[in-house]
């Protein structure tokens, strides 16, 4: 039986976006990642453009010459 007292909080777990390991949300300094390692791997993926946000190739204002 689960105790649903108002004073007690349940801890949520979720999969790390990088390695898919289940991790806890509370008391996690690297949220949403499970560790600093996964956080840095994801940052490196953005820096090397393995991750990107789609947009138009000829978007106005991109790299205009002065």
């Amino acid at each position: 039986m689960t105790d649903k007292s108002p004073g007690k909080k349940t801890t949520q777990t979720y999969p790390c976006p990088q390695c898919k390991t289940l991790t806890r949300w509370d008391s996690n300094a690297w949220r949403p990642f499970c560790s600093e390692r996964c956080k840095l791997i994801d940052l490196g993926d953005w820096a090397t453009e393995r991750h990107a946000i789609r947009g138009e190739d000829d978007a106005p204002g991109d790299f205009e010459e002065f």
Side-chain angles (χ1 to χ4, degrees), residues 7-33:
K8 291 187 177 184
K9 290 185 178 181
T10 59
T11 301
Q12 290 184 320
T13 58
Y14 60 94
C16 172
Q18 187 65 35
C19 70
K20 309 300 183 223
T21 301
L22 283 180
T23 187
R24 298 170 66 138
W25 184 260
D26 61 338
S27 303
N28 182 353
W30 303 288
R31 291 189 296 235
F33 303 98

Side-chain angles (χ1 to χ4, degrees), residues 22-66:
L22 283 180
T23 187
R24 298 170 66 138
W25 184 260
D26 61 338
S27 303
N28 182 353
W30 303 288
R31 291 189 296 235
F33 303 98
C34 66
S35 66
E36 184 177 22
R37 177 181 179 272
C38 283
K39 179 181 172 182
L40 292 175
I41 290 170
D42 185 72
L43 178 62
D45 287 345
W46 282 101
T48 59
E49 297 183 356
R50 280 182 246 164
H51 294 312
I53 298 173
R54 289 185 175 234
E56 295 178 24
D57 288 338
D58 297 327
D62 286 350
F63 303 107
E64 290 181 4
E65 291 187 33
F66 294 95

